[in-house]
Amino acid sequence: MSLDARKAKLLMELRSGGVGDKRVLGAIEKTPREKFVPPAFRAKAHDNVALPIGFDQTISQPLVVGLMTQALELTDRMKVLEIGTGSGYQTAVLARLARRVYTVERHAELLKEAEKRLAALRITNVTAKMGDGSRGWPEQAPFQRILVTAAAADIPPLLVDQLAVGGIMIVPIGSDDPMQHLVRVRRTERGSETEDLGPVKFVPLVGEPVPH
Ligand code: SAM
C-alpha cells in the first residue's frame, strides 16, 4: 500500500473512532508521523498503534492523539502547555491548531531529537524545555489549554493553578491497575470541574528530569 493510501486508511479509522473535528483531522493529515518514529518502525508509522521511541517511552496511538486534541477544543488564538514532548509528534499537531505551544519533557535526549524534528518541519511556534512537567511552566502561565501526555496519579494541582479561568486541561489519571481514565478539567471562577472521557493507557508521569 502507498504512503497516501496508508494515511487515508488511518484517517478513516480516526473518523470511525470518534474524531470528527475537521481541523484536528487536517492537522493530523499534514503532520508526517513517519518523521517522528525511529527508522526501524517507519513502516508502521501510519498504523493506529503506539510505537517505541526509546527510553521505555512511546509515541501515542494516533486515535488517542486525535481524541485528546479534539477534547481540547483549540482555536488558533490559544497558548497551550504540553507535558511530555516525547517524539514531538503531538506537539507538531498542537502547533498547527494553536497560537503557541510550550512543551516540557523530562528526558534531555528525547527533547533534543523532538526539537530537531520540529525545526526540520519549520514549525516555529513551539517553545520547549527540559524539566519536571508536573510543575508546569509558571513563568509562562496562564495557559488556555494544557495537555498531559503521561498518566498522573491525581490531577496535578500546580497545573490547575496555571490554567486560565475557562481553560481546559486533558490529563490521563491513574495507574495501570485497574485502569487509567482520560479526564477533562475545566477551570472555573471558583475552582474546577472534571469529566471522565473514558479508559486509556499511558506511560506514567514521573518526577525528576533525566539530563544528558
Ligand atoms: N506526545 C508524545 C508523542 O507524540 O510522541 C508521547 C508522549 S509519551 C506517551 C510520554 C512522555 O512524557 C515521555 O516522553 C516521558 O519522558 C514524558 N514524561 C513523563 N513524566 C514527565 C514529567 N514529569 N515531566 C515531563 N515529561 C514527562
Side-chain angles (χ1 to χ4, degrees):
M1 216 192 286
S2 71
L3 179 68
D4 281 352
R6 277 184 277 146
K7 264 196 160 180
K9 180 170 169 281
L10 176 61
L11 287 165
M12 263 170 53
E13 282 173 38
L14 300 196
R15 271 190 217 104
S16 57
V19 185
D21 185 324
K22 287 200 174 62
R23 289 186 69 232
V24 173
L25 288 166
I28 290 175
E29 189 175 8
K30 286 194 200 99
T31 306
R33 193 170 185 251
E34 68 278 9
K35 301 236 161 80
F36 291 84
V37 300
F41 293 103
R42 265 189 201 146
K44 289 182 181 294
H46 296 97
D47 292 354
N48 189 19
V49 290
L51 293 168
I53 54 170
F55 306 97
D56 284 336
Q57 302 303 320
T58 52
I59 178 171
S60 307
Q61 185 191 0
L63 178 60
V64 173
V65 170
L67 291 172
M68 287 177 99
T69 308
Q70 179 169 269
L72 279 174
E73 300 170 12
L74 285 167
T75 74
D76 57 10
R77 304 167 76 100
M78 289 176 174
K79 185 165 126 182
V80 182
L81 174 65
E82 179 194 39
I83 307 303
T85 318
S87 68
Y89 174 70
Q90 170 80 74
T91 320
V93 172
L94 293 174
R96 291 190 190 279
L97 296 168
R99 180 170 59 82
R100 178 150 286 276
V101 181
Y102 292 84
T103 184
V104 186
E105 169 57 53
R106 73 183 276 269
H107 268 284
E109 203 60 38
L110 287 177
L111 186 66
K112 198 172 88 188
E113 291 303 311
E115 285 188 287
K116 273 197 223 160
R117 293 179 186 119
L118 295 167
L121 292 173
R122 295 196 169 80
I123 293 174
T124 54
N125 59 337
V126 172
T127 310
K129 74 166 182 179
M130 196 192 86
D132 175 7
S134 56
R135 297 183 199 154
W137 198 326
E139 301 81 4
Q140 298 295 345
F143 300 94
Q144 280 90 40
R145 298 292 186 259
I146 299 180
L147 179 63
V148 185
T149 71
D154 282 304
I155 295 170
L158 293 176
L159 297 187
V160 180
D161 288 348
Q162 290 172 38
L163 199 53
V165 171
I168 294 176
M169 170 162 64
I170 302 295
V171 52
I173 298 293
S175 55
D176 271 350
D177 188 17
M179 201 68 191
Q180 299 166 355
H181 281 258
L182 196 61
V183 172
R184 174 157 47 197
V185 180
R186 284 182 198 269
R187 180 84 196 264
T188 61
E189 293 279 359
R190 295 177 168 209
S192 60
E193 289 165 1
T194 62
E195 186 187 343
D196 186 346
L197 300 180
V200 280
K201 185 161 172 49
F202 273 86
V203 294
L205 188 72
V206 278
E208 292 303 299
V210 186
H212 286 287

